[in-house]
């Protein structure tokens, strides 16, 4: 999400992202400026805005709400040090104290920003990212990690045990026995990036290629015909939507255009068929596609070109 905020605020890469910026700008919530203040067009973005939970949007926003006070203080101080010419808004002083109200507002804004700026295009983003993951899996099977790491970016140079990449700033990341998560990014355009704090989970975000015109709206509320014939329209739409992450019943209903009661009924049937798994999280139920559901979707979707 943060990298898409960078793309939104910058005016470069206009062929790829200009139409998307023009399309989403009028519908973005006014509160998006809160996120933009901590995630400017260039340079350091507060790392707490990118929580690592391995789950979907609901869990991500919940993790944002629970950011520890010490981390808030340290990262806001880092922001001021790395952006000496940028003045943080006055409310950042209250945020540094761990204000639950401000964290809640940031989390709600992040959710609203996703709904307005990213959700309408999420199937496209998901498919392009998945295609890159499949490509890397083939590279790993045929050429090993040397092939994967050496082709992540044009600047990549792999000389065991060191991976060198062109970064905007000079930065060393020592894994010290930790694994490295490779994260393809739809909105990352020029070079790879990592989280600034070396104590956080090592994540390497790298750009992936996609074609101009990606932002053209896909037909709303559609699913592959074969999947619709097998499951029915409502269940097919819900299975497609659940494949994008972990969502509440209300979120899936809103995304598919179903009423919450119908969505709940269809999700029960999908869960009984082992296509969707559900779990309670506080006062909501979170749904995600199972391995069987993902396999069914993969069998019904057209193959992307290599």
């Amino acid at each position: 999400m943060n990298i898409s905020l960078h793309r939104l605020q910058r005016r470069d890469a206009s062929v790829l992202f200009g139409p998307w910026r023009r399309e989403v700008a009028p519908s973005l919530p006014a509160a998006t400026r809160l996120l933009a203040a901590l995630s400017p067009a260039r340079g350091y973005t507060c790392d707490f805005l990118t929580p690592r939970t391995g789950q979907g949007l609901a869990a991500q926003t919940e993790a944002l709400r629970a950011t520890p006070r010490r981390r808030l203080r340290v990262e806001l101080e880092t922001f001021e040090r790395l952006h000496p010419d940028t003045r943080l808004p006055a409310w950042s002083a209250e945020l540094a104290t761990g204000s639950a109200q401000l964290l809640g507002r940031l989390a709600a804004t992040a959710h609203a920003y996703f709904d307005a700026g990213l959700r309408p295009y999420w199937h496209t983003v998901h498919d392009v990212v998945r295609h890159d993951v499949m490509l890397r899996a083939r590279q790993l099977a045929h050429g090993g990690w040397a092939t994967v790491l050496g082709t992540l970016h044009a600047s990549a140079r792999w000389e065991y045990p060191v991976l060198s990449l062109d970064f905007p700033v000079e930065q060393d990341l020592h894994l010290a026995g930790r694994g490295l998560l490779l994260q393809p990014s739809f909105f990352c355009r020029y070079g790879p990036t990592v989280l600034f704090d070396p104590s956080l989970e090592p994540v390497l975000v790298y750009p992936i290629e996609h074609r101009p015109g990606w932002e053209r709206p896909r037909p709303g509320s559609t699913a592959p015909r074969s999947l619709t014939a097998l499951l029915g329209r409502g269940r097919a739409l819900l299975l497609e939507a659940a494949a994008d992450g972990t969502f509440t019943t209300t979120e899936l209903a809103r995304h598919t255009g179903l009423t919450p009661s119908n969505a709940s009924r269809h999700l029960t049937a999908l869960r009984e068929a082992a296509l969707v798994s559900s779990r309670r999280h506080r006062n909501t139920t979170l749904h995600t596609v199972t391995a069987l559901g993902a396999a069914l979707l993969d069998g019904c979707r057209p193959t992307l070109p290599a």
Side-chain angles (χ1 to χ4, degrees):
M1 183 185 72
N2 285 332
I3 296 179
S4 72
L5 276 169
H6 296 172
R7 294 273 77 80
L8 188 70
Q9 297 174 79
R10 294 174 64 159
R11 291 295 176 261
D12 54 0
S14 58
V15 172
L16 277 180
F17 297 109
W20 168 75
R21 283 194 294 260
R22 291 191 293 273
E23 180 71 24
V24 304
S27 60
L28 292 178
T32 300
R33 67 182 185 278
L34 299 176
L35 299 174
L38 304 177
S39 182
R42 289 176 174 81
Y44 173 75
T45 289
C46 290
D47 288 335
F48 73 84
L49 292 177
T50 311
R52 285 290 308 147
T53 66
Q55 298 175 341
L57 181 61
Q60 290 269 330
T61 52
E62 191 65 28
L64 179 53
R65 293 177 192 272
T67 306
R69 179 173 59 183
R70 182 181 181 280
R71 183 174 178 184
L72 291 169
R73 185 179 68 253
V74 169
E75 293 188 11
L76 289 170
E77 290 173 353
T78 300
F79 186 100
E80 291 181 317
R81 186 173 72 254
L82 297 179
H83 292 284
D85 298 327
T86 301
R87 188 178 183 86
L88 281 170
W91 52 261
S92 66
E94 183 180 352
L95 180 63
T97 69
S99 167
Q101 181 179 1
L102 273 174
L103 280 172
R105 190 176 179 193
L106 284 172
T109 299
H111 201 299
Y113 170 76
F114 179 89
D115 280 343
L118 299 178
R119 191 184 293 279
Y121 312 95
W122 202 243
H123 280 295
T124 298
V125 173
H126 178 268
D127 284 348
V128 174
V129 169
R130 188 179 62 153
H131 178 54
D132 184 84
V133 171
M134 293 169 61
L135 171 64
R136 302 300 170 188
R138 289 197 296 268
Q139 289 178 333
L140 179 61
H142 293 99
W145 282 111
T147 301
V148 175
L149 297 175
T151 59
L152 285 177
H153 187 253
S155 68
R157 298 177 299 281
W158 169 245
E159 297 179 6
Y160 180 85
V162 177
L163 174 63
S164 302
L165 295 154
D166 288 346
F167 271 42
V169 295
E170 193 71 22
Q171 186 174 359
D172 292 331
L173 177 60
H174 299 279
L175 298 182
R178 299 174 295 174
L180 177 65
L181 176 64
L182 302 179
Q183 178 62 64
S185 172
F186 189 90
F187 288 94
C188 184
R189 181 58 189 144
Y190 300 110
T193 186
V194 295
L195 298 176
F196 182 80
D197 186 348
S199 69
L200 297 174
E201 177 187 6
V203 179
L204 176 62
V205 179
Y206 62 93
I208 54 178
E209 293 300 323
H210 38 286
R211 300 174 182 173
W214 63 266
E215 77 293 336
R216 291 169 190 156
R218 294 173 56 162
S221 300
T222 61
R225 289 184 180 179
S226 56
L227 190 65
T228 301
L230 178 65
L231 300 178
R233 178 177 175 274
R235 294 172 190 176
L237 290 174
L238 287 166
L239 189 63
E240 278 269 302
D244 290 342
T246 303
F247 300 101
T248 65
T249 304
T250 301
E251 289 170 337
L252 289 172
R254 183 168 60 242
H255 180 59
T256 57
L258 299 171
T259 64
S261 59
N262 276 339
S264 180
R265 179 168 55 84
H266 288 314
L267 285 166
T268 298
L270 292 172
R271 184 169 58 252
E272 291 175 349
L275 299 177
V276 163
S277 66
S278 306
R279 63 179 179 84
R280 292 292 299 176
H281 180 72
R282 296 193 175 182
N283 61 340
T284 63
T285 301
L286 299 177
H287 309 279
T288 190
V289 71
T290 63
L292 179 61
L296 179 61
L297 285 168
D298 286 341
C300 292
R301 286 168 173 162
T303 303
L304 289 172

